[in-house]
Amino acid sequence: MKNRALRRVALVAAVASTSALVLAGCSGGGGSASGGDGPVTLTVATFNDFGYTDALLKEYMDAHPNVKIVHNKAATSNDARANYFQKLGKTGLADIEAIEVDWLPEVMEYADLLAPVPDDLKSRWLDYKVKAATSSEGNLIGYGTDIGPEGVCYRSDLFAAAGLPTDREEVAKMLQGDWSTYFAAGDKYVAATGKPFFDSAGGTYQGAINQVEDAYENPDTGEITATKNPEVKKIYDQVLKASATQSAHLGQWSDDWMAGLSNGAFATMLCPGWMLGVIEGNAPEVKGWDIANAFPGGGGNWGGSYLTVPSNGKNVAAAQELADWLTSPDTQIKAFENAGTFPSQTDALKNDTLLSNTNAYFNNAPVGQILTDRAEAVKVSPYKGAFYFQINDAMQKALTRVEDGTQDAATSWQQWVTEVDALK
């Protein structure tokens, strides 16, 4: 905490000398990319694949002949994250910097170092996309790109072997309900096959805790409430009870988990849209993967990103204009076609290109319609405060300790409580 506070002071000091210039640029609207007379080079920093191909960016440059766009893509999102927080408020960042939704708790501590999104654009996105990136001062600090609405991916061949429905509509009907319904299906699968139903307690817990609005901290006071929140304890107990018989105990992103996508180590997993590519990429020969238009407890979102404009950049107004264009519904549909990034714009969710999209690998599933339905089912924007990741990381380790047999559930919970209490 001390280090964070000291860093915060340094960041504010670093931008103090430029704030007047930035404010003038923002409020006056000068220096826009299309309206300016002189040439301007705009740098855009992303990671993974946002769908911003050279051809897409050329469209903008053709329409704005004075603008040159330089797109730099980090090797990993972790690399991008490290660079972002090292340089925010100083120098060296791009005019437009992409961030992941999971960075927001820390980003919000420096919200005043980012140029706010103009108010007239706020209605562009789904409510929870806006709410998650809105500062305590009411400023939206990121232009939403994609989201990760979740369905349930399942192996239809393994379901058939267990005597469960295989048609995706019948599977969705079977899974329609709360988490008890999902785990009841798991009981049937395990009884029929003796094999795990889902991949891990950690992944399953994450899907459930993302449906709790204020799981760990009071958004008004910042008080850590995690260990006293009965919803957290209920989810912990429910997931671990199911895990005892239904989990493959494979930590997500581990080598064994990757292998499990193809070797049948588990039959289902919670599945945001971007996970479809992960499954196909790691199990290209498997024919049985499908996705059901259902999610335990209603809707769930995992992941998604934003574009931010550092307020001490050289081309703030021009960068805002480009960020506006990049996250417009039409452009995000093109990005979706390029990279499968599922759009967060309400108008994009009505687009025929999106709604008619199917995925051949997932048995020609109408993924555009399914994920649109799942996006609209999300009703909760979970609050993630300053301690969210420390608390949640400790929880993931608590779940792992039980799954690997290091501790029983009660002992592991108590260790988590002790660790969380030490954060206060």
Side-chain angles (χ1 to χ4, degrees), residues 158-232:
L158 301 183
F159 270 33
L164 296 177
T166 58
D167 177 80
R168 70 176 66 90
E169 292 186 6
E170 292 180 10
V171 173
K173 185 176 180 180
M174 178 183 72
L175 297 178
Q176 199 69 42
D178 58 16
W179 289 92
S180 296
T181 303
Y182 178 65
F183 295 135
D187 283 337
K188 293 179 182 177
Y189 179 82
V190 173
T193 66
K195 296 179 180 179
F197 182 60
F198 59 83
D199 55 346
S200 68
T204 307
Y205 172 91
Q206 197 61 48
I209 204 66
N210 278 343
Q211 295 173 325
V212 180
E213 192 150 8
D214 306 319
Y216 298 149
E217 298 162 88
N218 184 317
D220 296 324
T221 66
E223 177 189 3
I224 295 177
T225 56
T227 60
K228 304 297 184 185
N229 189 337
E231 290 185 273
V232 175

Side-chain angles (χ1 to χ4, degrees), residues 42-397:
L42 294 176
T43 51
V44 179
T46 67
F47 45 84
N48 298 337
D49 190 352
F50 278 64
Y52 300 156
T53 61
D54 291 345
L56 183 67
L57 298 178
K58 186 175 182 298
E59 284 187 33
Y60 189 85
M61 291 186 283
D62 288 345
H64 303 80
N66 62 320
V67 175
K68 176 183 178 182
I69 300 173
V70 178
H71 182 200
N72 298 312
K73 188 185 297 185
T76 68
S77 63
N78 284 340
D79 290 344
R81 187 180 191 282
N83 182 70
Y84 188 77
F85 288 111
Q86 285 170 2
K87 297 177 180 176
L88 182 62
K90 302 175 184 175
T91 60
L93 286 182
D95 293 299
I96 295 175
E97 288 276 345
I99 65 169
E100 283 189 343
V101 64
D102 287 348
W103 306 1
L104 282 176
E106 192 168 359
V107 171
M108 284 304 179
E109 294 186 50
Y110 313 115
D112 58 327
L113 303 182
L114 299 168
V117 177
D119 286 344
D120 62 351
L121 293 181
K122 290 182 178 178
S123 61
R124 168 180 290 177
W125 295 279
L126 293 163
D127 289 344
Y128 63 86
K129 189 71 174 178
V130 172
K131 183 179 179 181
T134 298
S135 71
S136 57
E137 288 74 29
N139 291 323
L140 176 61
I141 55 83
Y143 296 75
T145 58
D146 61 314
I147 51 178
E150 294 184 274
V152 175
C153 288
Y154 67 99
R155 286 278 300 268
S156 60
D157 53 333
L158 301 183
F159 270 33
L164 296 177
T166 58
D167 177 80
R168 70 176 66 90
E169 292 186 6
E170 292 180 10
V171 173
K173 185 176 180 180
M174 178 183 72
L175 297 178
Q176 199 69 42
D178 58 16
W179 289 92
S180 296
T181 303
Y182 178 65
F183 295 135
D187 283 337
K188 293 179 182 177
Y189 179 82
V190 173
T193 66
K195 296 179 180 179
F197 182 60
F198 59 83
D199 55 346
S200 68
T204 307
Y205 172 91
Q206 197 61 48
I209 204 66
N210 278 343
Q211 295 173 325
V212 180
E213 192 150 8
D214 306 319
Y216 298 149
E217 298 162 88
N218 184 317
D220 296 324
T221 66
E223 177 189 3
I224 295 177
T225 56
T227 60
K228 304 297 184 185
N229 189 337
E231 290 185 273
V232 175
K233 186 63 162 63
K234 178 183 177 181
I235 293 170
Y236 176 86
D237 289 339
Q238 188 177 29
V239 169
L240 284 180
K241 181 181 178 181
S243 165
T245 55
Q246 297 184 25
S247 173
H249 301 175
L250 299 177
Q252 289 193 329
W253 313 114
S254 67
D255 290 342
D256 288 341
W257 179 83
M258 294 288 188
L261 296 173
S262 61
N263 66 18
F266 46 88
T268 69
M269 60 182 294
L270 307 183
C271 211
W274 51 263
M275 187 67 83
L276 304 182
V278 175
I279 294 173
E280 182 177 359
N282 286 280
E285 306 303 324
V286 175
K287 304 297 184 185
W289 278 109
D290 208 322
I291 179 170
N293 191 351
F295 192 75
N301 182 77
W302 181 8
S305 298
Y306 297 83
L307 301 181
T308 65
V309 177
S311 58
N312 65 336
K314 295 180 179 178
N315 309 292
V316 172
Q320 288 180 301
E321 188 172 350
L322 175 57
D324 177 355
W325 183 82
L326 286 170
T327 60
S328 68
D330 288 346
T331 305
Q332 280 299 136
I333 288 295
K334 294 175 183 176
F336 170 74
E337 291 181 287
N338 291 335
T341 48
F342 198 79
S344 57
Q345 296 76 8
T346 53
D347 283 350
L349 299 183
K350 304 170 187 174
N351 185 284
D352 287 341
T353 298
L354 180 78
L355 294 174
S356 63
N357 184 268
T358 60
N359 189 311
Y361 177 83
F362 283 82
N363 193 27
N364 292 314
V367 294
Q369 184 65 62
I370 289 175
L371 294 175
T372 296
D373 291 345
R374 302 323 314 155
E376 293 175 344
V378 177
K379 303 302 181 186
V380 173
S381 176
Y383 174 71
K384 298 181 178 180
F387 293 100
Y388 177 86
F389 285 100
Q390 291 160 280
I391 297 169
N392 200 58
D393 183 61
M395 172 58 80
Q396 290 291 333
K397 291 175 180 173

